Amino acid sequence: MLITLSTNQSYRIYAETAILPMLPMLALVLHQPIYMTQFLIPIFLLGTVVSKFLNTFGMTNALGEKRVLLLFGFISIISSLVCLNPNIATLLPAWFFQGVGVGVLTSITQGLIPQAGKDFLTTLSRLRRVFIWMPLVSTFITGFLIHYFNWQAGFIALSCFAMITWLFTLSTPIKRTKIIKEKKLGVLKSLSKNKLFLSYMLTISFAFSALIVLYTMTPVIFIRDLGWPENHYWIIIFTMTLGGFIASLITPWCVKRFQITQYVTLLLIIGIAGGLLTVLGSLFEQTPAFIISLFVTFFLTGVSTTAALSSIRKCLHSNFERILIIASAMLGIIQSIIAILFSYLAAHLFRADAFDMGVLLTLTYCFSLACFLFSLRFQATKSSCSK
């Protein structure tokens, strides 16, 4: 059980980050404008939204957790293999189903954690320290493969990971559970009226959208303004994941020594500073200062978003522990919808240049900070998030 749940969770992280270094290369190989490959980001998020609805409204009740894990694990394998076809018409729907598969696998494995008992919970909390390496590992492996082999090697590695996960799931005995649907609907209704939950949800959603803004707009800037080879794009993504990795290491230490509200506020201000730095750097395009500003922005965004999301989720978990699975599902749906909206804004309503990217990045962090400061009004009676 331990290996099965760990590989499923690791696969989610790997799949989310593996596509990012390939975006400029895919546009070149498929003979498509870069905005076509940018659609892979919102399409994947749309797939995760669909998966949340499938899991929330009775799919596991009808089939059982193991059958659903095997079914959508198989879908993830097939969609990864279909992506090997150099055709944008097959790549886009295949990556949508990859999002559906990853979303279902994540939701169900989170719900299966209590089956393993207290010893497993302790072990899993230790394994989460390993999970923080996955974005870094995924970006490096994908970058290495597309640099020394080709873009298809990245999808082959992803399909192999999916196959390993599926085999572990097949060999693991999983007890079937049943949750009453009416209770879920009642909880969803109460959450939609809870101002503390809504403020946390919007804080997380806007902070996550900052990443989506960078993922959507940077490939164009990278190719057009910097003129770097497409197979070098992974370096700038690696810079962000490195920032996220460092943030994951320091966050437990910071949370123990500072008030979590002050820590999150500082992190979101750092994100705003990164956006403003990009705006300033856009005044010096085609210079080393511009390149440095982009890399520093990516690093600061990785630090700010990763640490802020981790800290706010701790608040969410401590305040909504009894209904955590349903709260997480609702959070995932809204987070993905808002991220899709910002992805559309970044791809179509804003110019693909550093100035507009910096402005949009600053706005997302400002929205996130405003929502978090609004949540402080309701934390007076929720002492679990004061430290």
Side-chain angles (χ1 to χ4, degrees), residues 319-336:
N319 284 283
F320 301 95
E321 184 176 2
R322 295 182 179 179
I323 51 173
L324 184 57
I325 295 177
I326 301 176
S328 297
M330 186 173 179
L331 169 63
I333 292 171
I334 302 302
Q335 173 181 297
S336 297

Side-chain angles (χ1 to χ4, degrees), residues 20 23-25 27 32-39 41 213-228 230 233 236-237 285-286 290 294 298 343 346-348 350-354 357:
L20 300 175
L23 292 178
M25 178 66 74
Q32 296 290 332
I34 188 64
Y35 73 84
M36 287 301 294
T37 57
Q38 288 173 331
F39 278 124
I41 297 172
V213 168
L214 286 184
Y215 294 158
T216 304
M217 302 183 78
T218 307
V220 179
I221 299 171
F222 184 87
I223 295 174
R224 184 193 60 204
D225 298 338
L226 298 184
W228 286 17
E230 287 80 0
Y233 179 67
I236 200 166
I237 299 296
E285 290 190 9
Q286 307 298 334
F290 174 60
L294 282 181
F298 262 75
S343 178
H348 298 286
F350 282 75
R351 296 172 301 171
D353 59 27
M357 184 177 75

Side-chain angles (χ1 to χ4, degrees), residues 295-314:
F295 275 90
V296 172
T297 297
F298 262 75
F299 181 81
L300 292 179
T301 301
V303 171
S304 175
T305 299
T306 302
L309 294 184
S310 175
S311 302
I312 300 167
R313 285 194 173 106
K314 289 182 183 294

Side-chain angles (χ1 to χ4, degrees), residues 10 12-13 125-138 241-252 306 310:
S10 298
R12 171 189 66 82
I13 301 171
S125 67
R126 294 173 180 171
L127 280 175
R128 283 172 180 164
R129 300 173 187 174
V130 179
F131 294 161
I132 66 176
W133 287 86
M134 286 307 299
L136 210 62
V137 171
S138 173
T241 56
L242 178 62
F245 172 73
I246 293 174
S248 299
L249 293 179
I250 65 173
T251 293
T306 302
S310 175

Side-chain angles (χ1 to χ4, degrees), residues 138-177:
S138 173
T139 305
F140 179 79
I141 290 176
T142 306
F144 177 85
L145 291 174
I146 64 176
H147 184 79
Y148 291 101
F149 297 95
N150 55 37
W151 63 275
Q152 292 173 315
F155 287 115
I156 292 174
L158 183 64
S159 62
C160 290
F161 198 166
M163 290 177 188
I164 293 171
T165 301
W166 191 87
L167 290 174
F168 277 123
T169 303
L170 181 65
S171 62
T172 303
I174 298 175
K175 297 179 182 178
R176 182 167 178 171
T177 59

Side-chain angles (χ1 to χ4, degrees), residues 101-138:
V102 167
V104 170
L105 294 178
T106 304
S107 299
I108 294 180
T109 50
Q110 287 176 345
L112 291 175
I113 290 175
Q115 284 194 18
K118 295 181 179 179
D119 292 338
F120 174 76
L121 291 175
T122 302
T123 306
L124 185 61
S125 67
R126 294 173 180 171
L127 280 175
R128 283 172 180 164
R129 300 173 187 174
V130 179
F131 294 161
I132 66 176
W133 287 86
M134 286 307 299
L136 210 62
V137 171
S138 173

Side-chain angles (χ1 to χ4, degrees), residues 180-245:
I180 301 174
K181 181 179 177 181
E182 289 75 14
K183 184 179 178 181
K184 286 187 175 183
L185 294 174
V187 171
L188 286 172
K189 185 176 180 180
S190 65
L191 283 174
S192 65
K193 298 178 181 179
N194 189 301
K195 294 181 180 180
L196 181 62
F197 173 77
L198 293 177
S199 58
Y200 282 157
M201 180 178 66
L202 292 176
T203 301
I204 292 173
S205 299
F206 285 125
F208 177 74
S209 296
L211 294 178
I212 302 304
V213 168
L214 286 184
Y215 294 158
T216 304
M217 302 183 78
T218 307
V220 179
I221 299 171
F222 184 87
I223 295 174
R224 184 193 60 204
D225 298 338
L226 298 184
W228 286 17
E230 287 80 0
N231 60 352
H232 288 175
Y233 179 67
W234 71 273
I235 299 173
I236 200 166
I237 299 296
F238 185 82
T239 302
M240 175 181 285
T241 56
L242 178 62
F245 172 73

